[in-house]
Amino acid sequence: MVTQITSGIKISVTTNFEGTFYKDYKMHFAFGYKITIENLSEDTVQLLSRHWEVLDALNTTETVDGEGVVGKKPVIAPGKSHVYSSGCLLSSPIGAMQGYYNLINLNTNGHIKATIPNFKLSAPFAVN
């Protein structure tokens, strides 16, 4: 598990290798990740959007921007958390992801850019 705290927002990530499959005559490596967004601050926050950089060992980077997470814009009260799972496909058995969430503090209307820590994606057979 990797963890990062930014402005009272703690983000923790765990990953797992889901398997391989062929798509468009090319092998793909599927990875899942579970993210916990914990509000350690004294104010209620809402997650508005996300920014991801998905790095593949074959030297490609995909940027993904979008609203919310898995179709939701969760409101997280002080001391509470929001947990969700998602995944990605890589063209190689090794890669990494990093990024940030844009949140708004609902008490002050201030914006928070909470860092998602860099986390590794690796198929067990590819790790020495």
Side-chain angles (χ1 to χ4, degrees):
M1 177 186 308
V2 294
T3 300
Q4 175 80 38
I5 299 174
T6 309
S7 301
I9 305 301
K10 179 180 178 182
I11 299 171
S12 302
V13 184
T14 58
T15 63
N16 61 301
F17 176 63
E18 300 286 338
T20 59
F21 68 94
Y22 282 91
K23 178 182 174 188
D24 300 326
Y25 304 103
K26 184 178 177 184
M27 182 177 277
H28 292 273
F29 301 85
F31 295 90
Y33 54 88
K34 179 179 169 183
I35 297 190
T36 302
I37 305 166
E38 187 176 355
N39 184 357
L40 304 177
S41 77
E42 296 181 2
D43 296 327
T44 300
V45 299
Q46 182 175 18
L47 190 151
L48 300 176
S49 64
R50 69 191 182 285
H51 172 86
W52 285 108
E53 293 172 13
V54 184
L55 295 82
D56 194 299
L58 295 176
N59 212 22
T60 59
T61 301
E62 179 183 2
T63 301
V64 179
D65 291 294
E67 290 190 11
V69 289
V70 291
K72 298 179 181 177
K73 292 184 179 179
V75 173
I76 309 168
K80 300 296 182 183
S81 60
H82 177 77
V83 179
Y84 75 95
S85 297
S86 191
C88 72
L89 296 177
L90 298 180
S91 297
S92 71
I94 298 174
M97 291 177 66
Q98 64 185 15
Y100 58 85
Y101 296 121
N102 288 307
L103 300 102
I104 187 165
N105 180 318
L106 296 177
N107 297 67
T108 67
N109 286 328
H111 289 270
I112 301 166
K113 184 177 176 179
T115 301
I116 303 166
N118 182 300
F119 57 93
K120 308 295 183 217
L121 302 167
S122 57
F125 61 81
V127 179
N128 191 358

